Amino acid sequence: MSGLTLALSKGRIFEETLPLLAAAGIVPAEDPETSRKLVLATSRPDVRIVIVRASDVPTYVERGAADLGVAGRDVLLEHGGANLYQPVDLGIARCRLMVAVPARFDYRLAVQQGARLRVATKYVRCAREHFAAKGVHVDLIKLYGSMELAPLVGLADAIVDLVSSGNTLKANHLEAVEEIMPISARLVVNQAALKLQRARLVPVIDAIAAAVPAARAKAA
Ligand code: PRT
Ligand code: MG
């Protein structure tokens, strides 16, 4: 392939990446929310966008099916992402990975007493590292979504999930009790493509990186 393929997920990543792409002269020809197409042409004949699940972006880029992509730090940490070049923190799709419990559950006391906690999460890897570093014993329960439900039905004592406004926790009578890490989305680039497509890739990476401060100021 002589052109560039960019992997993006629908929703907040796509929306928040748009102004950064525009700075690199890349404007998608269609909106993935309304079109059902998975391959989108752009204003640049040498750049196309593929629409994939957020958690699949590292796989597409690592294996060279896409030359570059945008993925959350959460997704990259869970995936591993060791073979991906990660040149730019885009500062978009910001949130925090947090431990949350039902309002009636005394997390600090349970930790102090050395209780074994049942923790439901999609972020098993990050959760395991966090609790191991704290010396807290946990049974991790892998879920693929709606973690907030788990404590409500007695499946878990706590959850590890992404929080942005906090409204989802509040609506389910949960409280954030600990921050594991701040999250934002990163630009990820295939390492072989960086060598073979250098002349095309580097100006795109540089233009995106240059647009980050303005996008951040707007989001703040
Ligand atoms: O939705 P799908 O299953 O296809 O995949 P996904 O959930 O991984 O994708 P998407 O598009 O929802 O999220 C893409 C990326 O956005 C994530 O990988 C994060 O890096 C980032 N991001 C930023 C978030 C949030 N903010 C966020 N609030 N991802 C998810 N959420 C969810 C959170 O899991 C919880 O259910 O929103 C809910 C909490 O939001 P508040 O505002 O109520 O606190
Ligand atoms: Mg989602």
Side-chain angles (χ1 to χ4, degrees):
M1 252 296 285
S2 54
L4 291 180
T5 299
L6 166 67
L8 291 178
S9 54
K10 280 204 284 199
R12 69 190 106 217
I13 298 265
F14 187 87
E15 299 302 326
E16 295 184 36
T17 303
L18 277 182
L20 299 172
L21 291 180
I26 302 167
V27 180
E30 277 169 289
D31 176 357
E33 298 296 343
T34 50
S35 130
R36 285 171 190 236
K37 286 190 187 161
L38 298 176
V39 182
L40 308 179
T42 74
S43 53
R44 278 181 53 169
D46 61 338
V47 180
R48 63 177 185 172
I49 294 171
V50 292
I51 301 296
V52 305
R53 276 296 282 269
S55 45
D56 290 335
V57 168
T59 304
Y60 277 81
V61 177
E62 199 168 73
R63 292 173 176 265
D67 302 296
L68 69 173
V70 175
R73 183 186 185 194
D74 51 316
V75 165
L76 290 166
L77 289 171
E78 287 300 313
H79 180 269
N83 297 315
L84 292 167
Y85 176 52
Q86 299 182 26
V88 191
D89 179 351
L90 301 174
I92 59 167
R94 282 178 178 279
C95 56
R96 298 185 292 165
L97 186 65
M98 304 201 77
V99 182
V101 299
R104 61 183 151 70
F105 184 81
D106 193 334
Y107 176 71
R108 258 155 255 293
L109 184 66
V111 167
Q112 217 174 59
Q113 292 177 336
R116 192 171 185 92
L117 296 179
R118 295 168 304 149
V119 179
T121 188
K122 183 166 143 185
Y123 309 97
V124 171
R125 216 163 160 164
C126 291
R128 183 179 295 117
E129 274 177 33
H130 172 74
F131 291 112
K134 279 186 58 118
V136 175
H137 297 288
V138 289
D139 283 327
L140 291 173
I141 302 162
K142 167 85 187 187
L143 292 179
Y144 293 87
S146 303
M147 272 79 84
E148 299 85 1
L149 178 64
L152 307 183
V153 295
L155 178 63
D157 305 305
I159 64 169
V160 166
D161 195 8
L162 301 175
V163 179
S164 48
S165 69
N167 290 340
T168 306
L169 292 182
K170 205 181 288 166
N172 293 293
H173 312 290
L174 299 173
E175 272 172 11
V177 287
E178 202 159 71
E179 174 167 337
I180 300 181
M181 67 179 83
I183 301 286
S184 57
R186 317 283 154 117
L187 190 64
V188 294
V189 180
N190 176 273
Q191 291 190 344
L194 190 60
K195 295 193 185 101
L196 300 170
Q197 296 258 52
R198 194 166 189 91
R200 240 194 212 109
L201 262 173
V202 169
V204 169
I205 297 169
D206 288 350
I208 290 174
V212 166
R216 265 193 197 182
K218 218 171 170 185

